[in-house]
Amino acid sequence: MSYRIEHLEELEAESIFVLREAFSQFENPCILFSGGKDSIVVTHLALKAFYPAKIPFPLVHIDTGHNFEETLEFRDRLIKKIDAQLIVGSVQEAIDNGLASDEKGIHATRNTAQIPTLLNTIEINRFDAAMGGARRDEEKARAKERFFSHRDDFGQWDPKNQRPELWNLFNGKKKYGEHFRVFPISNWTEMDIWQYIKKENIELPSLYFSHQREVVRRGNTILANSPFLQLKPDEKVTKEIIRFRTIGDLTITGAIESNASSIDDIILEVAAARETERGNRADDQRSEAAMEERKREGYF
């Protein structure tokens, strides 16, 4: 157990260093806040990094309009608790203004509509660094990311054109119109996140814990029933005991059958898991390179 705590302390120190380095190198950074566990941990680390001062930059939430109510309630409660500035980029407004389009059909999501909304929010607020909770163990495209991940003046990511990172030396130099995505918890695993949440007693949305919910089974994905989900003729709504390993848009976030009602239960469950936490997300199943294709266009 002492080894585990030591390991978490090393990860924490590394992440705090990255957060402070980003704040020192960039003029106008922000945290991309989804309301999921990883962005909550990044926010917690930022609180520690700049204590006793408040977090010296805003939290940015890209609101799809198809969010879990629990996520929005948690977001607003946390913002009030830590006295942080919140900036919301609205996908619905982007659609209304012709900046993004709403998908149609059974498999419609607003996932791709987040891309122009995010890029527009970054441009309007002149953010030159957007810090977030992506981790290398989540998905193969994210494993290619650096701590400081360069984006061109169109907000696009080129995995073959990233800066080398030697030891703790980060290169944040950029041309006008370019910006960076910064990933302070890149080296963390899902298990590290849960162990750290337990160690630091970090509050989370109730969605992460076992609860009964109306769901729809679609292939190997369990989706929460909602007004935004269009059912196939053969699909039925059932009530099941589930929880979510990752949180995003309602129409794409897959749940798992689970009785894990505490952090200790979840740690045991994660230890026994044979599928990544994004393994049953509907958006990642569109193609083998779905995540990388979205990232190239400017996705988080």
Side-chain angles (χ1 to χ4, degrees):
M1 182 59 74
S2 61
Y3 162 76
R4 194 72 202 165
I5 292 173
E6 227 173 79
H7 172 67
L8 294 175
E9 288 174 346
E10 288 175 1
L11 287 173
E12 179 189 73
E14 178 183 63
S15 299
I16 286 175
F17 175 81
V18 173
L19 284 161
R20 289 173 176 167
E21 190 70 13
F23 183 63
S24 69
Q25 288 201 38
F26 300 109
E27 295 178 5
N28 190 25
C30 68
I31 288 179
L32 296 178
F33 185 83
S34 66
K37 66 184 186 308
D38 300 311
S39 65
I40 292 169
V41 166
V42 171
T43 302
H44 180 83
L45 289 163
L47 286 167
K48 297 188 81 168
F50 301 102
Y51 181 83
K54 296 188 294 186
I55 297 177
F57 35 75
L59 273 60
V60 174
H61 181 219
I62 302 303
D63 181 358
T64 67
H66 293 175
N67 296 291
F68 289 94
E69 289 183 11
E70 294 94 329
T71 304
L72 296 180
E73 290 170 2
F74 180 89
R75 179 200 70 185
D76 294 342
R77 191 166 68 251
L78 179 64
I79 291 295
K80 184 176 180 180
K81 178 182 176 181
I82 65 176
D83 193 19
Q85 179 188 0
L86 175 67
I87 293 174
V88 177
S90 170
V91 169
Q92 185 60 57
E93 284 185 16
I95 293 169
D96 293 342
N97 295 331
L99 186 65
S101 57
D102 220 351
E103 290 185 4
K104 306 296 181 185
I106 295 291
H107 299 288
T109 81
R110 287 189 166 181
N111 211 32
T112 55
Q114 292 182 78
I115 298 171
T117 309
L118 171 59
L119 295 178
N120 187 55
T121 303
I122 288 172
E123 184 177 359
I124 288 174
N125 292 278
R126 298 184 179 180
F127 294 127
D128 56 354
M131 297 175 277
R135 307 187 327 268
R136 292 189 180 118
D137 76 319
E138 287 180 276
E139 201 273 341
K140 57 188 177 183
R142 287 184 169 172
K144 300 177 183 179
E145 292 279 19
R146 304 288 198 270
F147 280 107
F148 279 27
S149 184
H150 175 262
R151 297 299 195 268
D152 66 19
D153 52 355
F154 292 101
Q156 296 175 329
W157 175 65
D158 180 358
K160 296 180 180 179
N161 187 29
Q162 294 296 311
R163 316 283 173 78
E165 290 181 347
L166 307 175
W167 301 284
N168 287 329
L169 300 176
F170 303 126
N171 183 354
K173 291 184 178 179
K174 61 191 182 308
K175 296 177 182 177
Y176 181 79
E178 298 176 343
H179 72 276
F180 277 76
R181 306 290 169 84
V182 178
F183 303 112
I185 61 171
S186 281
N187 286 338
W188 297 51
T189 65
E190 184 185 11
M191 178 62 80
D192 293 329
I193 291 291
W194 282 108
Q195 294 274 8
Y196 188 73
I197 286 168
K198 178 182 177 181
K199 175 178 173 289
E200 297 288 304
N201 195 27
I202 298 172
E203 185 183 359
L204 294 175
S206 59
L207 294 164
Y208 281 109
F209 303 95
S210 176
H211 60 284
Q212 187 179 66
R213 196 179 202 95
E214 287 190 350
V215 298
V216 176
R217 288 184 176 266
R218 180 169 293 176
N220 67 341
T221 301
I222 303 174
L223 298 172
N225 185 40
S226 75
F228 314 119
L229 191 66
Q230 186 177 338
L231 300 183
K232 298 178 181 180
D234 61 337
E235 288 179 333
K236 294 181 180 180
V237 176
T238 59
K239 281 190 175 182
E240 299 190 34
I241 304 296
I242 55 95
R243 75 173 191 87
F244 296 90
R245 289 176 71 185
T246 178
I247 294 176
D249 190 281
L250 259 167
T251 59
I252 57 172
T253 303
I256 61 169
E257 295 178 78
S258 174
N259 290 310
S261 57
S262 70
I263 291 178
D264 285 331
D265 292 341
I266 291 172
I267 288 171
L268 290 173
E269 191 175 82
V270 170
R274 292 295 176 266
E275 187 177 58
T276 67
E277 62 203 283
R278 295 185 66 94
N280 66 345
R281 279 184 65 112
D283 52 334
D284 289 351
Q285 295 178 17
R286 292 193 170 195
S287 75
E288 281 192 12
M291 172 65 81
E292 183 160 332
E293 290 163 2
R294 295 198 304 276
K295 287 175 73 64
R296 285 177 182 273
E297 295 173 6
Y299 186 74
F300 170 63

